[in-house]
């Protein structure tokens, strides 16, 4: 957990909201018990992959059963303190791709995301918060894609220009726009 706190402390926020989320985590949330597992029903870690193609005009997304929307890949830490490993595992499980590479050393984005009440496998999951880390990857589009049927009903490359049409969760669109904006800035200047 100390390594995660260090990563978040050293992260340079890209937006005012990320700065506020970073402050909230460092002043309050890090002191919650059991942030790495869902045993803490109020707040816990998740990790996501933002995957771009080599021309940065498409992103790899899955159609999520619960949210009925295309979304990034990702999932709960479930006890794993290596959040990069969690993002990679979720990327591979949810899309089937194995040939990709990390484009940015360290956290690419940091957000505290609200999760609305929902049902999963017939069980009520109450409203809670994900302390989410995101990592930036690049992959070629010609790889075989595989749907993780217990969570998703589609996986595909989506044109950046069509993100708003594909993402039914309006509240997630600003996060995706932020990540695409940051990815494009990094493409132009890797020192950003």
């Amino acid at each position: 957990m100390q390594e995660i706190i260090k990563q978040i402390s050293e992260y340079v926020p890209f937006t005012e909201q990320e700065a506020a989320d970073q402050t909230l985590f460092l002043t309050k949330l890090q002191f919650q018990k059991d942030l790495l597992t869902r045993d803490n029903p109020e707040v816990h870690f998740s990790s996501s992959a933002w995957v771009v193609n080599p021309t940065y005009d498409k992103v790899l997304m899955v159609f999520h059963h619960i949210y009925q929307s295309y979304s990034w890949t990702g999932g709960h830490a479930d006890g794993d303190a290596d959040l990069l490993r969690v993002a990679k595992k979720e990327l591979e499980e949810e899309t089937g791709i194995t040939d990709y590479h990390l484009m940015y050393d360290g956290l690419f984005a940091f957000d505290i995301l609200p999760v609305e009440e929902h049902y999963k496998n017939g069980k009520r999951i109450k409203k809670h918060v994900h302390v989410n880390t995101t990592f930036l990857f690049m992959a070629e589009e010609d790889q075989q894609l595989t749907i993780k049927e217990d969570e998703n009903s589609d996986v595909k490359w989506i044109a950046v220009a069509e993100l708003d049409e594909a993402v039914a969760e309006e509240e997630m669109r600003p996060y995706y726009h932020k990540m695409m904006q940051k990815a494009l800035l990094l493409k132009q200047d890797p020192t950003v």
Side-chain angles (χ1 to χ4, degrees):
M1 185 67 180
Q2 290 299 7
E3 181 59 31
I4 295 172
I5 293 169
K6 181 176 184 262
Q7 282 182 317
I8 294 169
S9 297
E10 293 174 352
Y11 177 72
V12 178
F14 186 65
T15 65
E16 288 181 19
Q17 185 59 56
E18 280 190 337
D21 289 348
Q22 182 186 46
T23 299
L24 176 62
F25 176 79
L26 293 173
T27 59
K28 181 179 177 186
L29 293 181
Q30 71 170 308
F31 302 108
Q32 294 273 328
K33 292 186 179 188
D34 208 7
L35 288 174
L36 287 173
T37 74
R38 288 180 257 191
D39 289 343
N40 183 331
E42 305 293 329
V43 56
H44 43 259
F45 272 104
S46 60
S47 193
S48 301
W50 188 249
V51 186
V52 296
N53 66 350
T55 54
Y56 288 71
D57 63 348
K58 291 184 182 173
V59 292
L60 185 58
M61 301 187 96
V62 296
F63 191 86
H64 203 288
H65 289 320
I66 292 173
Y67 304 113
Q68 290 294 294
S69 177
Y70 281 96
S71 67
W72 54 13
T73 62
H76 295 94
D78 287 334
D80 192 343
D82 185 338
L83 297 175
L84 174 58
R85 181 171 51 221
V86 172
K88 288 178 177 180
K89 177 181 77 76
E90 295 291 332
L91 172 58
E92 292 177 14
E93 285 179 359
E94 293 185 26
T95 68
I97 71 167
T98 56
D99 186 13
Y100 56 87
H101 57 278
L102 188 65
M103 293 299 296
Y104 186 74
D105 188 26
L107 295 182
F108 176 64
F110 175 73
D111 299 287
I112 297 176
L113 302 171
V115 179
E116 295 301 319
E117 179 180 315
H118 61 276
Y119 286 84
K120 185 170 183 178
N121 301 324
K123 180 180 175 189
R124 178 183 165 266
I125 309 295
K126 72 178 194 170
K127 186 175 182 175
H128 61 282
V129 172
H130 282 174
V131 178
N132 192 70
T133 56
T134 305
F135 297 87
L136 177 64
F137 299 97
M138 180 180 286
E140 296 285 347
E141 291 178 58
D142 61 358
Q143 296 182 63
Q144 177 71 40
L145 301 176
T146 306
I147 297 168
K148 188 174 188 293
E149 293 181 0
D150 63 324
E151 293 182 7
N152 308 309
S153 60
D154 193 20
V155 56
K156 69 179 182 178
W157 289 95
I158 297 176
V160 171
E162 298 170 5
L163 267 176
D164 284 352
E165 294 171 29
V167 176
E169 291 180 282
E170 289 184 40
E171 65 276 10
M172 290 304 295
R173 291 176 189 161
Y175 297 102
Y176 299 154
H177 287 278
K178 169 190 74 171
M179 286 182 289
M180 205 57 237
Q181 181 185 8
K182 187 173 181 181
L184 288 169
L185 285 173
L186 286 168
K187 179 184 179 191
Q188 294 171 359
D189 181 2
T191 63
V192 170

